[in-house]
Amino acid sequence: MRKKVATKKRFKILSMLFITVVINYLDRSNISVAAFAISDDLKLNSIQMGFIFSAFSWTYAGLQIPGGMIVDKVKARVIYTFMLVFWSISTLVQGLVSSFGALIGLRASIGVFEAPSYPTNNAVVTKWFPEKDRATAIGIYTSGQYIGLAFLTPVLVSIQNYMGWRGLFIVSGVIGLVWGGVWYVFYRDPENYKGINESELKYIKQDKKIEIDLETLIRKKFNWIDLKHAFSNRKLWGLYIGQFCLVALSIFFLTWFPTYLVQYRGLSFLQSGFLASIPFFAAFLGVLLSGLTSDYLIRKGYSKEISRKAPIIGGMLLSTCIIGANYTDSTFFIIFFLALAFFGNGFASITWVFVSIMAPKKIIGLTGGVFNFFGGLAGVIIPIVIGYLVKDGDFKPALFFIGIVALIGVFSYVILVGSVKQILIK
């Protein structure tokens, strides 16, 4: 009897996850496009803008651990719909306020509602993809944060140019509200997805990692010893520190980058919108190549040590090229160095695969929450530090700072993470 060909429903889920990540980062980063106009309209200085940029991550980072716990308990269909609707409302309302305090509060509220998003992304991929395909899947949905901004940054700049910064926030919020409804209608877990056949289910569940009894995990009561496990392992600390360092460069591009081009490099607002898209596109290429390269090396029989860590270490080393922008006044070379650095950041961004592979199986969500907490912590610290470093009108110390942080990330993966294997706990 001829074997039935497996359906491909997992790729439809992956495309939905990709679009969700695009919208997620649209609502995180539209503040960077609006920043110059906001600071001019509301008379805010660089230190105040640094705090506005940072406010999102105050709550986003602080709620990563509770968010990870929620992901272990609540179905992805429900939690993502809730998140999308409420962070989109907060985004929309930003276009209606006129004070420093209100902007701080609304940015912080977006952080609250987006906090469980990446642990949810990781949980969805773990449910829908076998381990050998996971790095590629993670690379594809992660690329949404870059390719979306690569193509949307000129669009966002144009919207602001015609509708003002308030119109930019309102349009962004409406998009998220619509997509929240789409997610609720169409997303299901593999076992409940209409049209999926037994062959695809068998393919998805081919390795033991995702054959965990998820219902048992959901029913399991929280134990404080889980927190001890999440914070007491050297390898996990290597992942946490590495994630902080990786996110640091991304935060620069999601917050200060357009202001850097306009205010410190003298480009026009519309010109900056088109040039700003180049590093985002470079980061997108880096993300795709990272996942494809890593999974290709796995299929060719290379160890996880080489296949999973090489893109991250190589990418973080490339990220230090951001310092090169300090040594040129050429617009071409400024964008070149920034694009090369962001390409490296994208090439290193499959770090979530380490949570999937190395996290103790009974605290995958919690480990993902702690992991993302440290990424969020970069979002708290980096914008404020840059705001202070540039207060005298010189951006060079800020770029040096970002380059050094990337180098620390390299040492974290080399020295602390060590061999790539699942961490076992009793």
Side-chain angles (χ1 to χ4, degrees):
M1 185 175 180
R2 189 175 180 181
K3 186 178 179 180
K4 192 172 183 180
V5 177
T7 50
K8 305 289 184 182
K9 302 300 182 182
R10 63 192 181 278
F11 296 111
K12 291 184 179 180
I13 295 298
L14 186 59
S15 66
M16 288 179 63
L17 208 56
F18 175 89
I19 294 170
T20 305
V21 170
V22 170
I23 294 171
N24 185 302
Y25 271 77
L26 170 67
D27 291 334
R28 292 189 197 192
S29 64
N30 48 20
I31 189 72
S32 69
V33 173
F36 188 72
I38 290 174
S39 63
D40 186 56
D41 188 21
L42 304 183
K43 310 303 180 188
L44 304 176
N45 60 38
S46 70
I47 294 175
Q48 289 174 307
M49 288 307 302
F51 277 95
I52 289 174
F53 288 147
S54 172
F56 165 86
S57 294
W58 299 350
T59 50
Y60 183 80
L63 292 174
Q64 282 307 299
I65 295 174
M69 294 176 183
I70 290 170
V71 170
D72 285 337
K73 310 294 181 184
V74 182
K75 291 184 179 297
R77 180 191 182 203
V78 174
I79 192 172
Y80 237 140
T81 302
F82 177 87
M83 288 189 291
L84 276 159
V85 168
F86 281 93
W87 90 52
S88 297
I89 291 172
S90 294
T91 297
L92 189 153
V93 175
Q94 284 177 111
L96 307 176
V97 301
S98 299
S99 72
F100 173 69
L103 285 172
I104 288 280
L106 288 167
R107 294 300 298 173
S109 70
I110 294 173
V112 170
F113 298 121
E114 289 196 10
S117 56
Y118 263 68
T120 304
N121 295 343
N122 195 56
V124 169
V125 166
T126 300
K127 288 177 182 177
W128 275 93
F129 287 85
E131 195 278 326
K132 69 185 181 69
D133 294 340
R134 243 174 258 161
T136 297
I138 290 170
I140 289 171
Y141 82 66
T142 303
S143 72
Q145 67 193 56
Y146 302 115
I147 193 61
L149 295 176
F151 289 109
L152 289 178
T153 296
V155 176
L156 296 178
V157 167
S158 298
I159 291 172
Q160 179 172 316
N161 194 52
Y162 290 103
M163 299 179 65
W165 63 268
R166 297 182 183 279
L168 174 62
F169 287 126
I170 291 170
V171 170
S172 299
V174 169
I175 291 171
L177 287 171
V178 172
W179 186 250
V182 172
W183 180 271
Y184 186 79
V185 170
F186 290 103
Y187 179 82
R188 298 293 187 279
D189 289 340
E191 296 80 5
N192 302 316
Y193 196 89
K194 186 177 180 180
I196 192 170
N197 65 12
E198 194 63 33
S199 295
E200 184 174 10
L201 283 172
K202 185 176 180 180
Y203 180 81
I204 290 170
K205 296 183 177 183
Q206 66 185 266
D207 51 62
K208 294 179 182 179
K209 179 74 174 179
I210 60 171
E211 289 177 358
I212 302 167
D213 185 352
L214 293 175
E215 293 302 318
T216 299
L217 290 180
I218 290 170
R219 290 193 300 268
K220 179 181 177 293
K221 291 183 179 180
F222 170 71
N223 191 331
W224 285 104
I225 197 68
D226 293 343
L227 278 176
K228 178 183 176 182
H229 291 314
F231 282 101
S232 61
N233 187 278
R234 174 181 61 85
K235 290 179 179 292
L236 292 182
W237 272 104
L239 297 182
Y240 302 155
I241 294 170
Q243 187 67 0
F244 177 95
C245 297
L246 178 75
V247 172
L249 180 67
S250 299
I251 290 297
F252 162 73
F253 280 97
L254 293 174
T255 56
W256 281 103
F257 179 42
T259 300
Y260 168 69
L261 294 180
V262 174
Q263 191 168 337
Y264 295 90
R265 287 300 190 173
L267 302 182
S268 70
F269 181 66
L270 286 175
Q271 185 184 17
S272 73
F274 287 96
L275 290 177
S277 68
I278 296 173
F280 283 109
F281 187 72
F284 163 71
L285 293 178
V287 170
L288 287 187
L289 287 174
S290 181
L292 292 171
T293 301
S294 182
D295 282 346
Y296 173 79
L297 292 173
I298 284 287
R299 288 192 291 269
K300 286 296 182 179
Y302 288 91
S303 68
K304 290 181 181 180
E305 181 83 15
I306 294 173
S307 303
R308 301 311 195 194
K309 287 173 69 175
I312 294 173
I313 293 170
M316 285 188 170
L317 285 172
L318 270 179
S319 294
T320 63
C321 291
I322 194 171
I323 296 172
N326 284 339
Y327 297 97
T328 180
D329 291 322
S330 165
T331 299
F332 173 85
F333 281 108
I334 290 169
I335 298 300
F336 171 78
F337 283 120
L338 293 173
L340 188 60
F342 213 12
F343 171 86
N345 187 258
F347 197 63
S349 66
I350 59 163
T351 50
W352 269 100
V353 78
F354 284 88
V355 175
S356 183
I357 294 172
M358 297 179 66
K361 67 180 183 180
K362 72 174 184 177
I363 56 167
I364 292 175
L366 175 58
T367 303
V370 177
F371 180 80
N372 218 29
F373 166 79
F374 277 84
L377 197 60
V380 173
I381 295 171
I382 300 301
I384 294 174
V385 171
I386 292 177
Y388 278 98
L389 290 174
V390 306
K391 65 184 177 64
D392 295 324
D394 185 3
F395 221 95
K396 289 181 180 179
L399 298 189
F400 274 118
F401 169 68
I402 296 297
I404 291 169
V405 170
L407 199 57
I408 292 172
V410 173
F411 289 117
S412 179
Y413 271 91
V414 171
I415 297 172
L416 295 179
V417 173
S419 59
V420 180
K421 58 186 179 181
Q422 187 179 40
I423 298 164
L424 303 176
I425 60 175
K426 294 181 180 180

Short mmCIF file of all heavy atoms in Angstrom, two decimals, residues 155-165 269-270:
data_model
loop_
_atom_site.label_atom_id
_atom_site.label_comp_id
_atom_site.label_asym_id
_atom_site.label_seq_id
_atom_site.Cartn_x
_atom_site.Cartn_y
_atom_site.Cartn_z
N VAL A 155 7.41 52.79 4.59
CA VAL A 155 5.96 52.97 4.65
C VAL A 155 5.58 53.75 5.91
O VAL A 155 4.76 54.68 5.86
CB VAL A 155 5.24 51.60 4.63
CG1 VAL A 155 3.73 51.80 4.80
CG2 VAL A 155 5.53 50.87 3.33
N LEU A 156 6.17 53.37 7.04
CA LEU A 156 5.88 54.07 8.29
C LEU A 156 6.29 55.53 8.21
O LEU A 156 5.58 56.43 8.69
CB LEU A 156 6.60 53.39 9.45
CG LEU A 156 6.18 51.95 9.78
CD1 LEU A 156 7.02 51.40 10.91
CD2 LEU A 156 4.70 51.90 10.14
N VAL A 157 7.45 55.78 7.61
CA VAL A 157 7.91 57.16 7.44
C VAL A 157 6.94 57.95 6.56
O VAL A 157 6.61 59.11 6.84
CB VAL A 157 9.34 57.16 6.84
CG1 VAL A 157 9.71 58.57 6.36
CG2 VAL A 157 10.35 56.67 7.86
N SER A 158 6.45 57.31 5.50
CA SER A 158 5.49 57.98 4.61
C SER A 158 4.17 58.25 5.32
O SER A 158 3.58 59.33 5.15
CB SER A 158 5.25 57.12 3.36
OG SER A 158 6.45 56.95 2.63
N ILE A 159 3.70 57.28 6.12
CA ILE A 159 2.46 57.49 6.88
C ILE A 159 2.62 58.68 7.81
O ILE A 159 1.74 59.55 7.89
CB ILE A 159 2.09 56.22 7.68
CG1 ILE A 159 1.65 55.10 6.73
CG2 ILE A 159 0.97 56.52 8.69
CD1 ILE A 159 1.45 53.76 7.42
N GLN A 160 3.75 58.72 8.50
CA GLN A 160 3.98 59.84 9.42
C GLN A 160 4.09 61.16 8.66
O GLN A 160 3.63 62.21 9.13
CB GLN A 160 5.22 59.61 10.27
CG GLN A 160 5.50 60.77 11.22
CD GLN A 160 6.60 60.47 12.20
OE1 GLN A 160 6.65 59.39 12.77
NE2 GLN A 160 7.49 61.42 12.41
N ASN A 161 4.71 61.11 7.50
CA ASN A 161 4.90 62.32 6.70
C ASN A 161 3.55 62.93 6.30
O ASN A 161 3.40 64.14 6.25
CB ASN A 161 5.73 62.00 5.45
CG ASN A 161 6.24 63.25 4.76
OD1 ASN A 161 6.85 64.12 5.38
ND2 ASN A 161 5.99 63.35 3.46
N TYR A 162 2.55 62.05 6.04
CA TYR A 162 1.24 62.53 5.58
C TYR A 162 0.21 62.64 6.71
O TYR A 162 -0.70 63.48 6.65
CB TYR A 162 0.69 61.61 4.48
CG TYR A 162 1.45 61.73 3.19
CD1 TYR A 162 2.36 60.75 2.81
CD2 TYR A 162 1.28 62.83 2.34
CE1 TYR A 162 3.09 60.85 1.62
CE2 TYR A 162 2.00 62.94 1.16
CZ TYR A 162 2.90 61.95 0.80
OH TYR A 162 3.61 62.06 -0.37
N MET A 163 0.34 61.80 7.75
CA MET A 163 -0.67 61.76 8.80
C MET A 163 -0.14 62.21 10.16
O MET A 163 -0.90 62.30 11.13
CB MET A 163 -1.23 60.33 8.94
CG MET A 163 -1.91 59.81 7.69
SD MET A 163 -2.54 58.10 7.92
CE MET A 163 -3.79 58.37 9.16
N GLY A 164 1.17 62.49 10.23
CA GLY A 164 1.75 62.89 11.49
C GLY A 164 2.06 61.69 12.38
O GLY A 164 1.62 60.57 12.11
N TRP A 165 2.79 61.92 13.46
CA TRP A 165 3.17 60.80 14.33
C TRP A 165 1.97 60.19 15.03
O TRP A 165 1.96 59.00 15.34
CB TRP A 165 4.25 61.23 15.32
CG TRP A 165 3.88 62.30 16.32
CD1 TRP A 165 4.04 63.64 16.19
CD2 TRP A 165 3.30 62.08 17.62
NE1 TRP A 165 3.61 64.29 17.32
CE2 TRP A 165 3.16 63.36 18.23
CE3 TRP A 165 2.91 60.97 18.35
CZ2 TRP A 165 2.63 63.53 19.51
CZ3 TRP A 165 2.38 61.13 19.63
CH2 TRP A 165 2.24 62.41 20.19
N PHE A 269 14.39 63.46 6.94
CA PHE A 269 13.53 62.44 7.53
C PHE A 269 13.14 61.38 6.51
O PHE A 269 13.23 60.18 6.78
CB PHE A 269 12.29 63.10 8.13
CG PHE A 269 11.36 62.13 8.79
CD1 PHE A 269 11.73 61.44 9.93
CD2 PHE A 269 10.09 61.89 8.25
CE1 PHE A 269 10.88 60.54 10.54
CE2 PHE A 269 9.23 61.00 8.86
CZ PHE A 269 9.62 60.32 10.00
N LEU A 270 12.70 61.81 5.31
CA LEU A 270 12.31 60.84 4.29
C LEU A 270 13.51 60.02 3.81
O LEU A 270 13.41 58.82 3.58
CB LEU A 270 11.66 61.56 3.11
CG LEU A 270 10.22 62.07 3.34
CD1 LEU A 270 9.75 62.86 2.12
CD2 LEU A 270 9.27 60.90 3.61
#
